mmCIF file of all heavy atoms in Angstrom:
data_model
loop_
_atom_site.group_PDB
_atom_site.id
_atom_site.type_symbol
_atom_site.label_atom_id
_atom_site.label_comp_id
_atom_site.label_asym_id
_atom_site.label_seq_id
_atom_site.Cartn_x
_atom_site.Cartn_y
_atom_site.Cartn_z
ATOM 1 N N LEU A 1145 9.177 18.215 -11.017
ATOM 2 C CA LEU A 1145 9.909 18.971 -10.008
ATOM 3 C C LEU A 1145 9.755 18.306 -8.645
ATOM 4 O O LEU A 1145 8.727 17.697 -8.361
ATOM 5 C CB LEU A 1145 9.396 20.409 -9.960
ATOM 6 C CG LEU A 1145 9.625 21.232 -11.232
ATOM 7 C CD1 LEU A 1145 9.056 22.634 -11.066
ATOM 8 C CD2 LEU A 1145 11.106 21.310 -11.596
ATOM 9 N N PRO A 1146 10.773 18.401 -7.801
ATOM 10 C CA PRO A 1146 10.712 17.709 -6.504
ATOM 11 C C PRO A 1146 9.603 18.256 -5.621
ATOM 12 O O PRO A 1146 9.393 19.476 -5.566
ATOM 13 C CB PRO A 1146 12.087 17.975 -5.893
ATOM 14 C CG PRO A 1146 12.608 19.188 -6.593
ATOM 15 C CD PRO A 1146 12.031 19.145 -7.970
ATOM 16 N N PRO A 1147 8.889 17.389 -4.925
ATOM 17 C CA PRO A 1147 7.850 17.853 -3.989
ATOM 18 C C PRO A 1147 8.484 18.545 -2.786
ATOM 19 O O PRO A 1147 9.680 18.370 -2.508
ATOM 20 C CB PRO A 1147 7.152 16.549 -3.581
ATOM 21 C CG PRO A 1147 8.171 15.475 -3.820
ATOM 22 C CD PRO A 1147 9.008 15.925 -4.974
ATOM 23 N N ASP A 1148 7.695 19.310 -2.063
ATOM 24 C CA ASP A 1148 8.214 20.070 -0.911
ATOM 25 C C ASP A 1148 8.885 19.172 0.115
ATOM 26 O O ASP A 1148 9.932 19.507 0.659
ATOM 27 C CB ASP A 1148 7.093 20.884 -0.258
ATOM 28 C CG ASP A 1148 6.647 22.055 -1.123
ATOM 29 O OD1 ASP A 1148 7.407 22.446 -2.041
ATOM 30 O OD2 ASP A 1148 5.541 22.574 -0.898
ATOM 31 N N TRP A 1149 8.276 18.012 0.411
ATOM 32 C CA TRP A 1149 8.846 17.145 1.439
ATOM 33 C C TRP A 1149 10.225 16.614 1.036
ATOM 34 O O TRP A 1149 11.072 16.355 1.882
ATOM 35 C CB TRP A 1149 7.906 15.987 1.782
ATOM 36 C CG TRP A 1149 7.490 15.131 0.627
ATOM 37 C CD1 TRP A 1149 6.323 15.200 -0.066
ATOM 38 C CD2 TRP A 1149 8.253 14.067 0.009
ATOM 39 N NE1 TRP A 1149 6.298 14.249 -1.075
ATOM 40 C CE2 TRP A 1149 7.471 13.546 -1.044
ATOM 41 C CE3 TRP A 1149 9.508 13.520 0.259
ATOM 42 C CZ2 TRP A 1149 7.905 12.504 -1.854
ATOM 43 C CZ3 TRP A 1149 9.949 12.474 -0.554
ATOM 44 C CH2 TRP A 1149 9.141 11.979 -1.591
ATOM 45 N N TYR A 1150 10.461 16.460 -0.266
ATOM 46 C CA TYR A 1150 11.752 15.969 -0.756
ATOM 47 C C TYR A 1150 12.850 16.998 -0.496
ATOM 48 O O TYR A 1150 14.001 16.653 -0.240
ATOM 49 C CB TYR A 1150 11.639 15.673 -2.251
ATOM 50 C CG TYR A 1150 12.862 15.070 -2.898
ATOM 51 C CD1 TYR A 1150 13.043 13.691 -2.922
ATOM 52 C CD2 TYR A 1150 13.829 15.876 -3.508
ATOM 53 C CE1 TYR A 1150 14.170 13.121 -3.531
ATOM 54 C CE2 TYR A 1150 14.952 15.326 -4.112
ATOM 55 C CZ TYR A 1150 15.116 13.953 -4.126
ATOM 56 O OH TYR A 1150 16.226 13.398 -4.723
ATOM 57 N N LYS A 1151 12.482 18.284 -0.551
ATOM 58 C CA LYS A 1151 13.435 19.374 -0.326
ATOM 59 C C LYS A 1151 13.653 19.649 1.154
ATOM 60 O O LYS A 1151 14.615 20.316 1.523
ATOM 61 C CB LYS A 1151 12.946 20.655 -1.020
ATOM 62 C CG LYS A 1151 12.837 20.522 -2.535
ATOM 63 C CD LYS A 1151 12.354 21.801 -3.165
ATOM 64 C CE LYS A 1151 10.864 21.918 -3.139
ATOM 65 N NZ LYS A 1151 10.361 23.070 -3.911
ATOM 66 N N ASP A 1152 12.767 19.163 1.994
ATOM 67 C CA ASP A 1152 12.822 19.460 3.419
ATOM 68 C C ASP A 1152 14.046 18.809 4.075
ATOM 69 O O ASP A 1152 14.364 17.654 3.812
ATOM 70 C CB ASP A 1152 11.538 18.953 4.092
ATOM 71 C CG ASP A 1152 11.410 19.460 5.512
ATOM 72 O OD1 ASP A 1152 10.857 20.559 5.689
ATOM 73 O OD2 ASP A 1152 11.863 18.751 6.422
ATOM 74 N N LEU A 1153 14.717 19.573 4.935
ATOM 75 C CA LEU A 1153 15.916 19.069 5.602
ATOM 76 C C LEU A 1153 15.630 17.796 6.395
ATOM 77 O O LEU A 1153 16.471 16.897 6.483
ATOM 78 C CB LEU A 1153 16.494 20.154 6.525
ATOM 79 C CG LEU A 1153 17.765 19.772 7.279
ATOM 80 C CD1 LEU A 1153 18.899 19.416 6.325
ATOM 81 C CD2 LEU A 1153 18.180 20.912 8.204
ATOM 82 N N GLU A 1154 14.437 17.693 6.966
ATOM 83 C CA GLU A 1154 14.059 16.520 7.763
ATOM 84 C C GLU A 1154 14.151 15.246 6.924
ATOM 85 O O GLU A 1154 14.728 14.244 7.344
ATOM 86 C CB GLU A 1154 12.634 16.718 8.294
ATOM 87 C CG GLU A 1154 12.142 15.630 9.207
ATOM 88 C CD GLU A 1154 12.608 15.783 10.639
ATOM 89 O OE1 GLU A 1154 13.306 16.770 10.942
ATOM 90 O OE2 GLU A 1154 12.298 14.889 11.442
#
Side-chain angles (χ1 to χ4, degrees):
L1145 296 179
D1148 289 342
W1149 56 261
Y1150 184 88
K1151 298 180 276 188
D1152 191 88
L1153 181 60
E1154 184 82 2

